[in-house]
């Protein structure tokens, strides 16, 4: 039915999607146009930190839409100033540049690091990134990514991104030269399948970059805004990076992202950076509503506790079905299935009204709303358990 009434062909065919059209969301739940309800453990790829259509964000957007949409990036607006102040007050950074997507924030970080190299490191421009890393889909951020599937695409790549191995300090040291200006990484490689950098590696990387006068850039587009149980992941390791990028959670569902830098690293000059919608008050009003809730210690404590509950439940499921490790932190977790059955499990879950993600054929990723309830978490676990029982039986029968 949906097929007949929706003009699917009018959208560019960039990926495989089920023939279902979502029309409404509330908290941990989504509804399609036939009225079927889905329990959502994807949440727009770790975007909706407060769940679907959170009242605080909806109210902030409605109020701001009537006040001021876009005065022009050539003028200050109150919402971007207030949000920048809140971000600085809650982090180790001194200045912010707002963007419309994570990739754009990372482009900004890359430009900032190259500018820093031009100003302070004799024109050094290389940024050491990591195998398995994911930084976005613009040409430069695809080049910075260490995703195998990107390698043959859109050649030639933007040069200047030598790749090291996560949690292998020597591999980083080997790549440092007089051309290096920065090291950039995701504290947890999300798209690659939730592979965490250890706290020790992050600390060593901070010491190494400091010793060489290089910038440390953390891409917290997926790990930031409470996703790992602290407001920013770098806090777990007790380090202070020079540059951080945020996206996804910061807008609570709307396109908002940010580039944050310390005073020393924030070296853009007039003409270096800008954009029509950057820091527009509508998106910043949503960001303020998000930060207001997510930065509260009680909210973060509760998200961290829910993360521990989900982790222990996944470990229980893993032990029961003879599966592999549970990886990640807070509410960014992965279950290693040890067999390439994740897409089939995701498809079965979808049929049953449960949204799960398979970043790799053998891995399920869980990134629910940070305010997902215990009951909703237990319901997801029960459904997954039932699907795994069925899949196990089917495997044995086959
Ligand atoms: C770590 C990381 N960096 C960058 C991006 C790109 O963000 P966006 O899709 O908003 O451009 C993503 C998106 O998944 C991400 O997970």
């Amino acid at each position: 039915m949906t097929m007949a009434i929706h003009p699917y062909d009018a959208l560019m065919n960039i990926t495989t999607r089920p023939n279902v059209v979502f029309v409404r969301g509330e908290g941990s739940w989504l509804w399609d146009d036939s009225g079927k309800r889905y329990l959502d453990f994807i949440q727009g790829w770790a975007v909706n930190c407060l769940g679907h259509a959170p009242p605080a964000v909806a109210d902030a957007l409605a109020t701001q839409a009537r006040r001021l949409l876009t005065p022009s990036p050539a003028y200050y607006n109150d919402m971007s100033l207030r949000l920048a102040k809140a971000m600085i007050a809650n982090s180790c950074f001194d200045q912010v540049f707002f963007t419309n997507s994570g990739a754009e924030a990372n482009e900004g970080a890359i430009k900032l690091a190259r500018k820093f190299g031009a100003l302070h490191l004799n024109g050094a421009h290389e940024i050491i990134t990591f195998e398995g890393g994911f930084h976005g889909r613009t040409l430069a951020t695809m080049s910075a990514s260490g995703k195998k599937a990107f390698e043959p695409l859109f050649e030639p790549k933007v040069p200047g991104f030598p790749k090291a191995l996560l949690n292998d300090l020597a591999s980083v040291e080997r790549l440092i030269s007089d051309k290096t200006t920065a090291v950039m990484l995701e504290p947890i490689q999300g798209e690659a399948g939730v592979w965490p950098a250890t706290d020790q590696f992050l600390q060593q990387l901070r010491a190494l970059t400091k010793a060489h006068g290089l910038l440390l850039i953390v891409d917290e587009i997926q790990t930031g805004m409470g996703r790992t149980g602290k407001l920013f992941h770098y806090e777990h390791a007790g380090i202070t990076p020079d540059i951080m990028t945020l996206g996804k959670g910061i807008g609570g569902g709307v396109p908002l992202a940010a580039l944050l830098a310390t005073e020393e690293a924030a070296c853009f000059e007039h003409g270096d950076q800008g954009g029509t919608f950057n820091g527009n008050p509508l998106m910043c009003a949503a960001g303020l509503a998000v930060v207001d809730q997510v930065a509260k210690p009680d909210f973060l404590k509760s998200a961290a506790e829910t993360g521990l509950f989900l982790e222990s439940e996944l470990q229980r499921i893993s032990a029961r079905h003879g599966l592999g490790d549970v990886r990640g932190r807070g509410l960014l977790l992965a279950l290693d299935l040890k067999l390439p059955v994740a897409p089939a499990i995701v498809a079965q879950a979808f049929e049953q009204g449960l949204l799960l993600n398979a970043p790799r054929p053998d891995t399920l990723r869980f990134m629910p709303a940070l305010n997902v309830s215990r009951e909703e978490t237990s319901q997801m676990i029960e459904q997954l358990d039932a699907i795994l029982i069925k899949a196990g039986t089917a495997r044995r029968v086959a």
Side-chain angles (χ1 to χ4, degrees):
M1 267 163 295
T2 334
M3 278 287 270
I5 58 167
H6 292 292
Y8 295 112
D9 292 348
L11 286 177
M12 284 196 193
N13 187 13
I14 54 132
T15 190
T16 313
R17 295 171 171 138
N19 284 331
V20 164
V21 176
F22 288 110
V23 292
R24 190 165 77 81
E26 191 183 320
S28 287
W29 299 90
L30 267 178
W31 283 263
D32 70 18
D33 64 350
S34 74
K36 182 174 168 185
R37 190 169 86 137
Y38 299 75
L39 177 57
D40 189 358
F41 268 66
I42 297 178
Q43 288 288 355
W45 265 270
V47 165
N48 306 313
C49 53
L50 300 172
H52 288 286
V57 173
D59 290 348
L61 284 168
T63 305
Q64 188 59 34
R66 289 192 189 88
R67 277 183 77 222
L68 178 63
L69 289 175
T70 295
S72 156
Y75 303 115
Y76 290 118
N77 73 72
D78 56 350
M79 288 296 147
S80 71
L81 291 170
R82 282 178 58 193
L83 182 57
K85 192 171 155 210
M87 296 313 295
I88 285 162
N90 284 293
S91 73
C92 65
F93 301 97
D94 301 306
Q95 295 197 326
V96 185
F97 176 75
F98 292 112
T99 66
N100 310 297
S101 72
E104 193 191 359
N106 282 339
E107 284 274 342
I110 292 164
K111 285 168 70 176
L112 201 52
R114 287 191 173 195
K115 180 83 187 189
F116 185 87
L119 291 175
H120 304 298
L121 298 169
N122 297 316
H125 67 280
E126 283 190 357
I127 300 172
I128 297 171
T129 57
F130 289 83
E131 295 293 348
F134 180 79
H135 299 294
R137 289 177 177 277
T138 60
L139 270 179
T141 54
M142 283 179 90
S143 307
S145 299
K147 186 174 158 126
K148 282 274 167 287
F150 281 178
E151 276 174 17
L153 303 181
F154 309 117
E155 291 292 298
K157 291 281 182 306
V158 176
F161 299 103
K163 304 286 181 305
L165 301 173
L166 196 67
N167 293 323
D168 180 346
L169 196 71
S171 76
V172 182
E173 277 175 311
R174 275 197 297 277
L175 293 175
I176 294 176
S177 74
D178 56 4
K179 289 195 230 138
T180 313
T181 183
V183 176
M184 175 173 177
L185 83 165
E186 302 165 75
I188 298 176
Q189 291 188 341
E191 297 305 300
V194 187
W195 295 98
T198 64
D199 290 346
Q200 192 198 20
F201 180 68
L202 289 170
Q203 289 153 5
Q204 290 171 337
L205 213 48
R206 177 66 287 190
L208 182 71
T209 45
K210 262 215 169 102
H212 288 268
L214 308 176
L215 298 175
L216 179 63
I217 306 171
V218 285
D219 174 346
E220 295 232 22
I221 285 160
Q222 195 157 140
T223 55
M225 302 310 294
R227 177 59 48 194
T228 68
K230 290 199 183 282
L231 191 55
F232 307 114
H233 185 286
Y234 71 77
E235 297 171 37
H236 290 291
I239 60 165
T240 53
D242 303 294
I243 295 174
M244 172 170 75
T245 52
L246 294 173
K248 295 187 182 281
I250 188 176
V254 304
L256 176 68
L259 162 65
L260 296 91
T262 59
E263 201 175 343
E264 300 74 44
C267 56
F268 279 146
E269 293 171 299
H270 290 187
D272 287 343
Q273 187 64 323
T276 303
F277 291 115
N278 297 74
N280 80 80
L282 186 66
M283 297 306 133
C284 289
L288 261 175
V290 169
V291 175
D292 233 35
Q293 291 201 23
V294 172
K296 286 202 169 90
D298 281 355
F299 182 92
L300 289 167
K301 187 165 167 268
S302 158
E305 282 166 5
T306 310
L308 289 174
F309 175 64
L310 175 58
E311 190 175 345
S312 69
E313 286 295 273
L314 289 173
Q315 275 158 355
R316 187 171 63 77
I317 288 278
S318 175
R320 179 163 146 83
H321 295 276
L323 307 175
D325 289 340
V326 177
R327 300 188 296 267
R329 211 166 206 168
L331 285 166
L332 178 56
L333 295 171
L335 173 61
D336 178 356
L337 299 170
K338 292 215 287 201
L339 285 171
V341 292
I345 286 171
V346 164
Q348 279 187 48
F350 190 88
E351 282 303 309
Q352 296 178 21
L354 171 62
L355 301 186
L356 296 177
N357 167 247
R360 291 160 44 124
D362 61 356
T363 303
L364 291 176
R365 177 170 48 167
F366 305 84
M367 39 198 166
L370 302 183
N371 54 8
V372 65
S373 69
R374 291 269 167 134
E375 294 69 35
E376 288 159 346
T377 306
S378 297
Q379 178 172 337
M380 182 281 289
I381 290 287
E382 267 173 44
Q383 272 183 271
L384 177 59
D385 189 34
I387 292 166
L388 287 166
I389 288 170
K390 226 171 118 193
T393 312
R395 271 209 303 275
R396 273 200 298 277
V397 170

